Amino acid sequence: MFKKLTFLILSGPTKEYIDPVRYISNESSGKMGLALAEYAVKKGHRVIFISGEVKKYPAQVKLVKVTTALEMFKESKFSLQKADIVISAAAVADYRLAKFQKHKIKKSGNSTLLWLKNNPDIVKYCGKNKSNKVVAGFALETQNLLANAKLKLQSKNLDLIVANGRDSFGSDKTTVYMIKSDSIVEIKNRSKKFIAGKIINETVKIFENIKSLKNNA
Ligand code: C5P
């Protein structure tokens, strides 16, 4: 029997402003988040889509546009209660400025020191507060891909992590590994749309398993 679920999908880059015209951000086209949302909608699910600035947003979702990691965190905490499945494909900036400069920093000839502080880890917060929800994240690594991704699966208390290399930046096709605590599945050189379908189906499967275990307890 089909069950309509609520997905909370985090996508796109966050921006941390240094002064009114300069910011720190991460590389992210938002294509994977878009593909995840489109597939979930196509399957008849509800989607709350919290996104940093990108070129294209999905249709038929509850769209929440954000700029900074703190805004994404606040909106995610608010929407977490409504979600059955959380997937973070967002490129969240790990640091923000300790002090925002109200006016554009002058090219004075002296170098300017920037003091940074840590941003909250949003998907980790969701993982630690998930109760019966499914929480999935991504791990983009430039070295020791599988080992680093497995560490993140554990430390963020995720049900699934999707590991990929740098070749996925902005491209339509990529290779990923879907990692759970007891399995690794490679999806080689496939479109982000195809991979998104696999991820959504896998998270629904995990959700149903958790539910049936709970019902049989
Ligand atoms: O630790 P790392 O940034 O590599 O982890 C990647 C995963 O964590 C992604 O799913 C990303 O969306 C999420 N993340 C987050 N909040 C952060 C940093 C990363 O939710 N501050």
Side-chain angles (χ1 to χ4, degrees), residues 88-90 92-94 119-124 137-139 141 152 156:
S88 180
V92 185
D94 287 321
N119 270 329
D121 190 318
I122 304 168
V123 83
K124 187 172 183 174
F138 280 75
E141 303 291 338
K152 283 177 190 175
K156 299 184 191 226

Side-chain angles (χ1 to χ4, degrees), residues 15-86:
K15 283 181 183 173
E16 310 301 328
Y17 275 89
I18 299 167
D19 67 18
V21 293
R22 303 181 178 99
Y23 58 81
I24 297 173
S25 191
N26 282 331
E27 186 74 37
S28 171
S29 65
K31 281 183 185 173
M32 184 53 90
L34 177 69
L36 287 165
E38 283 176 343
Y39 188 85
V41 165
K42 199 170 96 184
K43 287 287 167 180
H45 299 296
R46 273 179 294 265
V47 176
I48 304 168
F49 193 78
I50 303 180
S51 181
E53 202 177 292
V54 288
K55 290 205 181 86
K56 205 174 158 202
Y57 299 95
Q60 293 161 285
V61 298
K62 180 178 186 303
L63 177 63
V64 183
K65 290 189 192 176
V66 295
T67 302
T68 66
L70 282 185
E71 285 169 15
M72 186 174 272
F73 187 44
K74 183 174 154 234
E75 294 295 344
S76 300
K77 281 198 289 188
F78 178 72
S79 293
L80 182 62
Q81 309 144 34
K82 299 181 201 133
D84 299 304
I85 297 176
V86 180

Side-chain angles (χ1 to χ4, degrees), residues 14-25 67-68 96-97 99-108 112 114 116:
T14 64
K15 283 181 183 173
E16 310 301 328
Y17 275 89
I18 299 167
D19 67 18
V21 293
R22 303 181 178 99
Y23 58 81
I24 297 173
S25 191
T67 302
T68 66
R96 66 178 181 279
L97 273 294
K99 191 170 181 296
F100 169 74
Q101 300 296 324
K102 241 171 52 194
H103 297 290
K104 190 178 169 194
I105 299 168
K106 293 283 177 215
K107 235 188 286 165
S108 60
T112 304
L114 296 179
L116 303 175

